[in-house]
Structure formats: C-alpha cells, structure tokens
Amino acid sequence: MQSERAKVRMIKSEVLSDDWYSLKKYTFDYPRRDGEWQRQSREVYDRGNGTAILLYNLARQTLILTRQFRCPLWVNGHSGLLLEVPAGLLDNEAPEVRIKAEAEEETGYRIEQVQKVFEAFMSPGSVTEKLHFFIAEYDASLRAGSGGGIRDEGEDIEVVEMAWADALNAIENGEITDAKTIMLIQYVALKGIMRGSSCTHSSF
C-alpha cells in the first residue's frame, strides 16, 4: 500500500528542456525527521510511464528477448547493444493494451493474454517513470510478423529466442544487464513458472 504523500512545500519549477521529453528543475522545502525544513533542488526527467513483458514458452523452455542500440549505454562505455525484454511507453493507453502492441511491434508475436505481475519505479532519484511488468506465454501460432520495431521511429530491433537456462547464465555472466529484464526473469524463476526454475540458482 502506498504511504501517505510527503508534505513538501514547492517553491518553484523551471523547464530546462522540453525537446524529446520534459526535464525540469524543482526547488522545494522538505521536512526532515528532526522537524527542520530543508531547502533542496532536484532535476526531474518526465517521459511518462511505461510497460515491459517477458514472453516465455513452457514446452520449449525458451524466452523471447530483443537486442537494440541504446545511446545512453554507449555514452557510458557499453557497446550500446542491449539485450532486453520488449518494452515501451504507455502513450496514454492502458498498460495491458500498450504492452500487447509493443510485443507485436518488437517481436512479431500477437499476444492475446497477458498477466500483470508488479509495478516498479526504475530510477526514482531523477526519473518519474513507473513501469508496469507483465509475463505471457508464446508459441509459433502467435507469430504474426517479423517484428523489428518501427523504422520511422529509428527502431532496428533484433528478435532473440533464448533458452531459459542460457538466460539465467546470461544474468550471471553479464550478458544481460538490463534491470527490467533481470527483474522479470528472476520473477519467473522465483515463482517456479519454468521447468527447473529455482531461486537457489547462483544468479540469485
């Protein structure tokens, strides 16, 4: 259950950038636990809320992941090519509706039934975004296209089918470093959804 909303005295907000999404600087007074009010400033990036999904096949013991270029990772010294679950922003749609569309756009699988498993803030120190997490089964009959994302939006997404055991090892050896992907794989493992899933695996 969400705790009581913090009592903050908002002093001012300044728009620093409003190009792709909104970056603002907030100045506010915050009551410390000792009763003193302290003036603070924070930069907040607002890109809206999002959604992510792990597609899994019980019979074949496989997962569907994607690989695409992520500029911020490249800037941070990473290769830039990130292995991750399908995901995207809500764009004013219900999470269940948006994630089905994202799954088909990115992977080519047309998923009808999805299961929501949790919600989480991914970078609460500077980003407003809350992600809605889903899982769903897939099989060959649900393949409606090749996926790959939307070219006009700059997407060039590789669809990767990975064995369940390989995905667990990929977390351990650093091949999978995306937080939302790790969280969903660990959820499936902890719940014992896939054959042989176990929270005793060395990745956890």
Side-chain angles (χ1 to χ4, degrees):
M1 180 180 295
Q2 184 174 327
S3 59
E4 182 181 354
R5 188 174 172 87
K7 294 178 174 62
V8 175
R9 297 171 182 165
M10 185 58 60
I11 306 303
K12 64 178 178 178
S13 65
E14 307 166 69
V15 177
L16 303 181
S17 176
D18 195 17
D19 184 9
W20 192 250
Y21 297 106
S22 173
L23 176 63
K24 294 182 179 181
K25 180 179 180 180
Y26 290 91
T27 301
F28 56 92
D29 290 339
Y30 182 79
R32 298 178 61 85
R33 287 179 297 163
D34 61 9
E36 179 185 355
W37 285 82
Q38 183 180 43
R39 180 69 49 92
Q40 299 183 14
S41 293
R42 295 290 185 271
E43 292 184 4
V44 177
Y45 189 52
D46 187 356
R47 61 194 300 268
N49 295 326
T51 183
I53 190 168
L54 180 65
L55 303 180
Y56 64 94
N57 184 300
L58 285 175
R60 301 184 65 239
Q61 290 290 287
T62 53
L63 310 175
I64 293 293
L65 301 178
T66 66
R67 184 182 285 114
Q68 60 182 305
F69 177 70
R70 297 296 197 182
C71 182
L73 276 65
W74 183 86
V75 170
N76 198 28
H78 186 273
S79 70
L81 295 173
L82 187 66
L83 194 61
E84 56 187 301
V85 293
L89 296 178
L90 296 184
D91 293 331
N92 298 315
E93 290 190 278
E96 293 83 356
V97 172
R98 189 64 237 156
I99 198 55
K100 291 177 183 179
E102 286 289 344
E104 184 169 355
E105 289 171 7
E106 295 191 9
T107 71
Y109 286 91
R110 186 171 295 161
I111 306 298
E112 296 297 331
Q113 300 295 326
V114 298
Q115 177 187 346
K116 187 171 181 179
V117 292
F118 54 83
E119 299 175 2
F121 291 97
M122 301 302 291
S123 188
S126 58
V127 182
T128 61
E129 182 181 28
K130 178 173 67 176
L131 278 185
H132 301 259
F133 288 81
F134 293 85
I135 60 174
E137 291 191 64
Y138 78 93
D139 58 43
S141 69
L142 301 177
R143 194 71 184 268
S146 59
I150 301 175
R151 183 184 181 91
D152 290 345
E153 295 182 2
E155 294 180 331
D156 183 19
I157 298 172
E158 177 188 358
V159 181
V160 179
E161 187 171 47
M162 179 175 284
W164 169 247
D166 291 343
L168 293 174
N169 289 330
I171 294 175
E172 187 170 4
N173 65 29
E175 183 183 358
I176 294 179
T177 56
D178 175 63
K180 62 185 179 295
T181 304
I182 293 171
M183 291 165 70
L184 279 169
I185 290 174
Q186 289 185 344
Y187 175 87
V188 169
L190 289 167
K191 292 296 184 180
I193 293 171
M194 297 290 274
R195 186 168 61 247
S197 293
S198 173
C199 61
T200 61
H201 189 276
S202 57
S203 291
F204 314 126

